[in-house]
Amino acid sequence: YSFFYGPSYSDACRGLLEWAKDDWQRRGRTTAPSYVHMGDSHPYPDSPKAACEAYADELGFTVEQAIVFSLIPEDFSRQCETLKQRKINYAFLANLDKSVSSLLQQCADRAVATQFMANVWGFDENVMREAGDAANGVVWVMGATHWNSSHPGMYTVRQISMMSDPEQSKYRSVHYIRGVCSMFYLKEAIEIAAQRGSISGSTIKAAMYEKSNWVPLGLEGVCRPASWSQDDHRGVTEVLIYRANVSNADTARSLEDLFLEQKLSMTHVFTANIPRRPDWLGF
């Protein structure tokens, strides 16, 4: 009964690795790039660790020993110095936003040259504003489009937003939009179940399997096409990679103003289509 919208945490990290390999090749590098997993000793940051390290090895990265840093922001100078000493090329940040923001700032202060890659819950517009220039150039996983996009489905998102913000004064984060997608898949499944004659857990579950490459009506261009089947709940295997662009962002300013002034922006730089390999089911 678990229907997760967006790529799995493992597939999201695999998508970042595919971007990193492409980035390395576009730079004309011929040596093997180094990769490291960074996160707390906790089930959430650890969840994609083994899968991503295995895929990094498969893609030809030199996989370095993981670096532990706390989910709670603290002194991360040791971790930043470790990145410098090891000359790590790409680091996957598996923690949540506050921890990631703190690490980025501290590593920027120490002129760490590592390219940081962040998980879907580890980076967003607030991290861009709080970390400032230290967030510039970070790439991360997106599960849907963003608030300032012009896709047709944003009309629906903005109508939903107006239900709690009739003045349209609030900037909605990437997580809000991803949440709208999740709820609209459920909404349509309930409607299908109702058309079949009854609404229950089992009928809604059956309805989730009826469509493939499914985008909820009215959310075109916003949500990624999803396909769930009885033996494979990897609903979305397309991984969108975005790069943060940050320039002199004032933490006291609103996100809306910072985006309007182009102090903050985000650019879609890569799309990875992760294969549904049988050995990756649940891994």
Side-chain angles (χ1 to χ4, degrees), residues 92 205 218:
F92 174 67
K205 178 181 180 181

Side-chain angles (χ1 to χ4, degrees), residues 94-111:
N95 281 355
L96 300 177
D97 52 355
K98 298 295 185 183
S99 172
V100 166
S101 178
S102 179
L103 179 92
L104 292 174
Q105 290 174 302
Q106 295 182 51
C107 286
D109 290 342
R110 290 163 177 79

Side-chain angles (χ1 to χ4, degrees), residues 19-40:
W19 170 84
K21 181 180 179 180
D22 180 76
D23 176 66
W24 191 252
Q25 292 173 341
R26 282 189 294 101
R27 295 185 188 190
R29 305 292 180 84
T30 56
T31 57
S34 55
Y35 165 81
V36 71
H37 175 97
M38 297 185 67
D40 207 342

Side-chain angles (χ1 to χ4, degrees), residues 4-283:
F4 180 85
Y5 168 70
S8 70
Y9 296 149
S10 294
D11 280 350
C13 189
R14 291 180 179 116
L16 285 167
L17 284 172
E18 292 193 5
W19 170 84
K21 181 180 179 180
D22 180 76
D23 176 66
W24 191 252
Q25 292 173 341
R26 282 189 294 101
R27 295 185 188 190
R29 305 292 180 84
T30 56
T31 57
S34 55
Y35 165 81
V36 71
H37 175 97
M38 297 185 67
D40 207 342
S41 296
H42 180 278
Y44 175 73
D46 277 346
S47 63
K49 180 177 179 292
C52 209
E53 288 180 339
Y55 195 46
D57 182 66
E58 188 175 319
L59 290 177
F61 287 80
T62 299
V63 179
E64 298 279 347
Q65 181 179 356
I67 298 174
V68 176
F69 77 109
S70 172
L71 279 163
I72 300 172
E74 55 184 44
D75 181 1
F76 295 137
S77 57
R78 180 176 57 83
Q79 289 84 351
C80 295
E81 286 303 318
T82 299
L83 288 170
K84 286 187 71 171
Q85 291 168 9
R86 294 193 199 171
K87 298 181 180 179
I88 300 296
N89 302 122
Y90 298 93
F92 174 67
L93 303 180
N95 281 355
L96 300 177
D97 52 355
K98 298 295 185 183
S99 172
V100 166
S101 178
S102 179
L103 179 92
L104 292 174
Q105 290 174 302
Q106 295 182 51
C107 286
D109 290 342
R110 290 163 177 79
V112 174
T114 300
Q115 171 65 59
F116 291 110
M117 309 183 296
N119 75 89
V120 71
W121 290 110
F123 200 87
D124 59 16
E125 298 93 336
N126 284 311
V127 175
M128 292 168 67
R129 178 173 60 183
E130 291 170 13
D133 289 352
N136 187 52
V138 172
V139 296
W140 84 103
V141 176
M142 286 270 282
T145 192
H146 55 88
W147 185 244
N148 291 319
S149 71
S150 57
H151 294 295
M154 284 304 297
Y155 173 80
T156 300
V157 175
R158 290 185 177 274
Q159 290 299 111
I160 294 167
S161 176
M162 286 173 63
M163 294 174 69
S164 60
D165 178 33
E167 294 82 14
Q168 301 185 63
S169 61
K170 294 181 181 179
Y171 179 95
R172 302 298 191 179
S173 78
V174 295
H175 308 302
Y176 180 96
I177 298 172
R178 200 166 65 249
V180 169
C181 291
S182 295
M183 290 301 100
F184 265 65
Y185 282 107
L186 177 60
K187 166 190 172 291
E188 289 197 4
I190 292 172
E191 290 172 343
I192 292 170
Q195 291 167 5
R196 298 288 186 270
S198 67
I199 299 175
S200 66
S202 60
T203 59
I204 294 170
K205 178 181 180 181
M208 293 294 292
Y209 301 138
E210 289 214 8
K211 297 183 180 182
S212 60
N213 295 318
W214 174 17
V215 174
L217 184 64
L219 291 171
E220 293 79 10
V222 173
C223 310
R224 309 319 304 158
S227 301
W228 288 278
S229 65
Q230 293 186 33
D231 57 357
D232 191 340
H233 275 206
R234 290 175 287 188
V236 177
T237 55
E238 179 187 65
V239 181
L240 302 179
I241 308 299
Y242 274 68
R243 176 185 285 117
N245 309 299
V246 184
S247 176
N248 300 315
D250 183 349
T251 56
R253 301 295 300 280
S254 70
L255 288 171
E256 190 73 57
D257 286 344
L258 290 172
F259 276 97
L260 283 172
E261 296 166 8
Q262 297 188 327
K263 301 291 186 183
L264 301 180
S265 66
M266 54 183 77
T267 307
H268 178 209
V269 294
F270 192 79
T271 300
N273 290 290
I274 306 300
R276 293 178 182 271
R277 283 172 39 173
D279 57 321
W280 285 352
L281 185 61
F283 177 59

